[in-house]
């Protein structure tokens, strides 16, 4: 937020921000936009009056409303951030884009591919910024992993394996796949930059809600590259651990570690010799040093909000634009279809 | 081994043991049988003379041979332990049973269901003991988990999730599924005592040997119970971690922990209310104490060898008998078939 | 803070709170008093105008001043919380008590025993509440440890060993002893409820500031009970680990653990037999289960603030009253004296 | 041990080794000397016939005796390894040296400085090898730490802090100081290569044996360098953790870690500015990468035995010679004196 003592002639662009949805994640958006210098948090909308009273207590300068239409009509709202239930993302984002607002949407972008495609098309047509909050892509740890890959340290990629489990908040509207897997899929999409060929998923509904609380997702890429994701709302302890293995090095990214979240291991095997004559002697193990790159401590969501404001100001495409959101939604939709079909592989053709 | 100073009239049964195969695991069998009181390690066979010289240096009282037929003909061999490559298990065990020997076979019991079925039938016909070395079933940690289940602490079972990864010994003859998954399947078979209904598996061959170094296996049981196993020879650090979740409690069994390998968590959720009206308020989280039962420190293989000798002496069926070995081989064969078919589910019908 | 929609005749006592000092810890006090229902955060004082601007942005309803005298004169301040540098605690608390305010002071209570004694006497004379913010005493973890001790599970106490190290904020005004050890001494005071007999300390000034960044403190109690504290601003990773060992059980309290901060081990040795004949056979080891009691997740400082308000309302002595603060300051002063004398033991006589 | 199939004219020196003492540590010496190529394990002596029977069962080619004099008279013993209670080290080593044997003695070298000085003088006079088994000095981890120091990565040394605790074997003849601290003192002696100036120690006898089960030792060096050691037989879990902090980097060596035992942190603070004006702004924190050097996996005792044989053959002084043993015994004796005097500092003058 612009410091209140910036008086006199200050010629900077101050973007008016409206936040729609103030449940679990919305307060984090409010806090970050409130503290950023290049914008002014002007409006907040939520259907529940008690949430708006909470906002008023915390941020007395912010106007509140139970009507998203009022927020979208407000002249001091140039950009909106949407943190409502997934099923409402498409409609709210569409209305905002139509009214000429730039839009930041919580993950997943929408509840279906059709909706996501329509949003991407609309944003392009309206020449508005459409960004999805794939928050882990902006974390210091994932950025450090990306740097290791960019430097070519991993060699050929072998597999991506991610586990995200805890005794989590059961959602009513979405299953664990749509709740947790967007994180892993967004990380995978950002790190690998590859088109998946097929996806399979199985899940379990253990507690009688008919909503999956556990899912395993397998994603095939060209060659032998495989990705696998385990998401689970019903585990006794929290685990958030990604293995990324290449021909030259291997990475463990453990988000629950207080420090050293990313470890890069100079380990692997070398297979020397022709394939008809496979003898153990031809396999050589390599065990070298490990290093843990320094992780930039800035809060990931702070970077999300800052990047959104930069894109709004400079009219440039965000790192996690509508297309990125669409790619993740496509994987989720196909994984859901596989899960419904008992694990039958679903092709992802361009 | 019988202590050499047991002189005079000592009327005990001393079982003569022959060990076939002295590669990676054989020396552990030699050491344990050598140190046990109720048997005498009499013979060791290996095709490689340098391995036999090593045995002679360590255990000068043990006779050695490169011919398993010579070992099986020896009058001071009542029982044999087979620790050779998997492809040879069936033939060696068959020859031993036919010659009236009791047999302990390394996991997996055989390389195919057909072979395992034949062995089980032969052992029954010859009235010989047939035991498979599902070594983890005899570990203090898995026994402690079994006790928790036996006492009914877990409630209804929700899922079994096992990860067994490390920078492992690449095998030439079998893939990672046949090498590592027998451990998890044997543990699952022992703990759950349930008939699986179907199995799916995917794998990856990353290093150009045409042998899978990574596999994910999913097993369905009646109801919503799901088991999932991740085995991997190409991970930077060792992990051996099993989650076992029930409606009342949850267990983490981490075999890499120096102590507290088994942790029992009084955690979970309670779903109150009818299924048509799913509101978050109806889900209650429960977080209570955790406890780590004391783990009996005896080496698992020591118990395997001791149990085998007891069964030989008392002519009783082992805990991990031929049937247990067959059940694991059946899962492996079906998982392999699924992997070959690109992950298509394979039914396991009685 | 009282919810703004509590309208009409609501007959509750609402305590007006003033916070003096808004540096490192002050904002945490502001946030907690702001959110608590039974008080109203009315004033905040800090010598630095930029800190007050920050307060105005966050809490627009709070009045700010650079003059603590103005704050103490304000009619809507019944109680004050002091979070200024240690050297100023005594004077500010004295002025507040003299003006009839109840007072919560950051740890350590004062910079000297003489000052602490004077404050305790003044509070008694003025019949005002004097409380010291020994924050860890109010943490769920320390309270869980206390419960284990209260139930007599530990048996006779053998030792208390505490390590509190990290790459910490170097202070200019106090050394590591006065900065970090108050936490461990307050925890020890609360858990043991015993009078120490003597204290020794050594320290090191490694970085040329003449201020100790590392200190080891040893405290003797009657019998064989020993306490030892290692505080350190210059360690590569954070460690906060306390061992508390008794004749029957042992506790590890590790505050850096995300869950299971407190572990109670049923381990120990039993010494059977007369003391003249010490043979190894007479020592028996005991290794039983471990359990980790559930930790109440409420923020410790929330409980501190709530307890202070309760004591103010009910005119009762706080758990960590002036006497508790004095006991900790006495240990610090004697430890400092020992450190200045090169580690010579200092008696603590009543 | 020389391989039995080395036939014909093989002109190598084969050193005959006798091991005195076959209790807790002796079997490890037997195993290592038995397996090394350049020596022949010829004799083993122990006062307890049952231990000798155990040796005969394991190593039938080794001759056994209950008389150390018989072992020392044997013509096929050129060198002896002594693994008896500490109180007997001096006498046995003296007798062996007098009979012209080279000698490897378990840590600590002797029970007193006087004894150690006499042994060092005798070995020099007899031109015999005298080596002490400071086994951790030969571990891959400590060698890796030494390499980091050798490369100057740490900068100026600030402190050495070592914790070695577990639920340990209570000894009858020595306290925890003489049992465990030799490891830390030997590591410190090897890594720092500095003369300590003074030592202080406190201890506790908690279990009624009159033997300390817990001790804290502080060692002062020139400048501000401080070393501190915590040894403890009565802790619920094993910890073996050494912090070594310098002006440029910091090391954590955790011997209980399965891999990455040594971590080197590029962390610290920089103090810029003159000492009269200490402002927080002048202290800069530095947080860079961490790396874990590859640790050579060879068993430390294997290297101890191999190094002893090399020194015997080449007539060169061992890395951990009698002088190193004497330096450690001197620290132990002075620490014990301090402990007896209630923690009074003891000077160590050359």
């Amino acid at each position: 937020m612009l410091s209140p003592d910036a008086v006199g002639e200050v010629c900077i662009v101050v973007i008016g921000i409206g936040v729609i949805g103030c449940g679990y994640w919305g307060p984090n958006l409010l806090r970050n936009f409130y503290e950023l210098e290049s914008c002014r948090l002007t409006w907040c909308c939520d259907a529940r009056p008690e949430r708006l009273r909470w906002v008023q207590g915390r941020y007395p300068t912010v106007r509140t409303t139970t009507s998203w239409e009022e927020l979208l009509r407000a002249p001091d709202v140039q950009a909106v951030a949407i943190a409502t239930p997934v099923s409402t993302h498409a409609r709210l984002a569409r209305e905002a884009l139509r009214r000429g607002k730039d839009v930041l949407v919580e993950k997943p972008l929408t509840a279906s591919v059709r909706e996501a495609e329509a949003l991407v098309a609309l944003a392009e047509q309206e020449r508005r910024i459409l960004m999805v909050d794939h928050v882990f892509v902006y974390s210091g740890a994932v950025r450090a992993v990306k740097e290791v890959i960019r430097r070519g340290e991993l060699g050929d990629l072998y597999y991506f394996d991610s586990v995200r489990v805890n005794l989590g908040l059961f959602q009513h509207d979405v299953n664990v796949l749509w709740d947790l897997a967007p994180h892993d899929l967004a990380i995978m999409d950002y790190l690998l930059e590859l088109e998946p060929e097929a996806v399979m998923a199985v899940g379990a509904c253990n507690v009688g809600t008919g909503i999956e609380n556990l899912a395993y997702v397998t994603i095939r890429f060209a060659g032998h590259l495989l990705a696998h994701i385990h998401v689970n709302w019903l585990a006794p302890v929290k685990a958030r651990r990604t293995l990324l293995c290449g021909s030259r090095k291997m990475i463990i990214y453990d988000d629950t570690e207080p420090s050293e979240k990313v470890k890069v291991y100079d380990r692997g095997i070398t297979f020397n010799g022709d394939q008809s004559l496979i003898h153990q002697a031809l396999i050589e193990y390599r065990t070298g040093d490990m290093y843990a790159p320094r992780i930039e401590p800035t809060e990931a969501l702070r970077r999300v909000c800052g990047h959104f404001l930069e894109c709004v100001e400079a009219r440039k495409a965000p790192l996690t634009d509508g297309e990125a959101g669409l790619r993740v939604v496509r994987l989720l939709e196909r994984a859901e279809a596989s899960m419904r079909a008992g694990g039958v592989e679903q092709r992802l053709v361009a």
Side-chain angles (χ1 to χ4, degrees), chain A residues 275-306:
Chain A
Q275 307 204 7
S276 54
L277 252 171
I278 299 159
H279 292 305
Q280 192 151 357
L282 297 180
I283 302 232
E284 286 168 21
Y285 292 83
R286 203 184 62 250
T287 309
D289 290 3
M290 176 271 273
Y291 79 92
R294 180 178 180 274
I295 304 297
E296 173 63 46
T298 312
E299 184 188 356
L301 188 56
R302 176 61 53 103
R303 269 209 211 88
V304 168
C305 296

Side-chain angles (χ1 to χ4, degrees), chain A residues 214-226:
Chain A
L214 159 68
Y216 298 102
V217 185
T218 308
I219 301 149
R220 292 188 195 274
F221 293 85
H224 294 280
L225 179 58
L226 213 62

Side-chain angles (χ1 to χ4, degrees), chain A residues 265-337:
Chain A
Y265 293 85
D266 182 17
R267 290 189 187 168
I269 64 144
T270 315
F271 174 64
N272 300 319
D274 73 289
Q275 307 204 7
S276 54
L277 252 171
I278 299 159
H279 292 305
Q280 192 151 357
L282 297 180
I283 302 232
E284 286 168 21
Y285 292 83
R286 203 184 62 250
T287 309
D289 290 3
M290 176 271 273
Y291 79 92
R294 180 178 180 274
I295 304 297
E296 173 63 46
T298 312
E299 184 188 356
L301 188 56
R302 176 61 53 103
R303 269 209 211 88
V304 168
C305 296
H307 182 64
F308 178 59
L309 295 175
E310 272 171 44
C311 293
V312 166
E313 214 172 314
R315 310 312 301 163
K316 69 175 184 185
L319 178 61
T320 52
D321 58 6
E323 290 285 355
L326 168 59
R327 288 194 299 272
V328 166
V329 169
R330 187 176 289 132
L331 279 164
L332 290 168
E333 198 178 87
R334 295 287 80 202
E336 176 94 24

Side-chain angles (χ1 to χ4, degrees), chain A residues 2 19 35 63 74 79 83 102 104 107 120 124-126 130 138 191 216 226 231 255 310 320 333:
Chain A
L2 191 67
V19 170
E35 291 174 357
R63 300 187 64 184
D102 296 312
L104 171 65
K107 62 87 205 166
V120 168
E124 195 174 356
Q125 178 191 313
E126 302 282 344
L130 175 62
Y138 298 85
L191 292 179
Y216 298 102
L226 213 62
V231 283
D255 204 64
E310 272 171 44
T320 52
E333 198 178 87

Side-chain angles (χ1 to χ4, degrees), chain A residues 2 10-14 37-38:
Chain A
L2 191 67
V10 184
C11 293
I12 59 165
V13 182
V14 177
E37 295 279 320
S38 58

Side-chain angles (χ1 to χ4, degrees), chain A residues 2-223:
Chain A
L2 191 67
S3 154
D5 47 341
V7 290
E9 272 184 282
V10 184
C11 293
I12 59 165
V13 182
V14 177
I15 302 154
I17 297 280
V19 170
I20 306 179
C22 188
Y24 173 68
W25 194 246
N28 295 324
L29 288 166
L30 290 173
R31 173 173 49 79
N32 276 287
F33 281 122
Y34 187 81
E35 291 174 357
L36 276 163
E37 295 279 320
S38 58
C39 70
R40 183 173 298 146
L41 178 61
T42 48
W43 282 83
C44 179
C45 164
D46 197 284
R48 296 158 294 186
E50 73 275 15
R51 294 306 299 153
L52 296 180
R53 278 196 297 275
W54 181 90
V55 173
Q56 286 154 355
R58 256 314 151 113
Y59 307 104
T61 58
V62 174
R63 300 187 64 184
T64 60
T65 173
T66 55
S67 155
W68 55 265
E69 281 131 327
E70 185 183 6
L71 182 146
L72 291 183
R73 276 195 308 266
D76 54 352
V77 170
Q78 279 83 50
V80 301
I82 298 170
T84 55
V86 180
S87 57
T88 67
H89 285 185
R91 181 174 181 203
L92 290 169
R94 189 176 61 232
E95 297 298 326
L97 289 169
R98 280 185 182 159
R99 279 165 178 85
K101 313 297 184 190
D102 296 312
V103 179
L104 171 65
V105 186
E106 257 329 286
K107 62 87 205 166
L109 180 60
T110 61
S112 72
V113 169
R114 202 175 43 79
E115 288 176 349
E117 286 173 341
L119 275 192
V120 168
L122 180 61
E124 195 174 356
Q125 178 191 313
E126 302 282 344
R127 298 185 177 276
R128 292 295 100 193
I129 306 296
L130 175 62
M131 175 166 161
V132 62
D133 178 12
H134 286 170
V135 65
F136 278 97
V137 166
Y138 298 85
S139 70
V142 171
R143 286 154 57 101
V145 173
K146 184 72 180 181
E147 269 315 293
V148 176
I149 296 175
R150 251 186 208 136
R151 285 194 300 263
E153 288 188 40
L154 292 194
D156 299 329
L157 286 179
Y158 284 171
Y159 65 83
F160 174 97
D161 177 277
S162 204
V163 173
R164 186 174 304 270
V165 309
N166 65 324
L167 190 57
L169 245 52
F170 269 73
Q171 307 290 323
H172 336 121
D173 50 345
V174 294
N175 59 23
V176 73
L177 184 69
W178 285 83
D179 181 42
L180 294 185
H183 292 309
D184 305 286
L185 294 172
I187 293 169
M188 184 189 82
D189 179 67
Y190 171 62
L191 292 179
L192 270 50
E193 297 186 34
L194 291 172
E195 290 264 325
E197 297 193 337
V199 63
M200 306 163 66
V202 291
C205 312
N206 292 118
V207 292
T209 59
I211 291 176
E212 283 85 0
N213 51 276
L214 159 68
Y216 298 102
V217 185
T218 308
I219 301 149
R220 292 188 195 274
F221 293 85

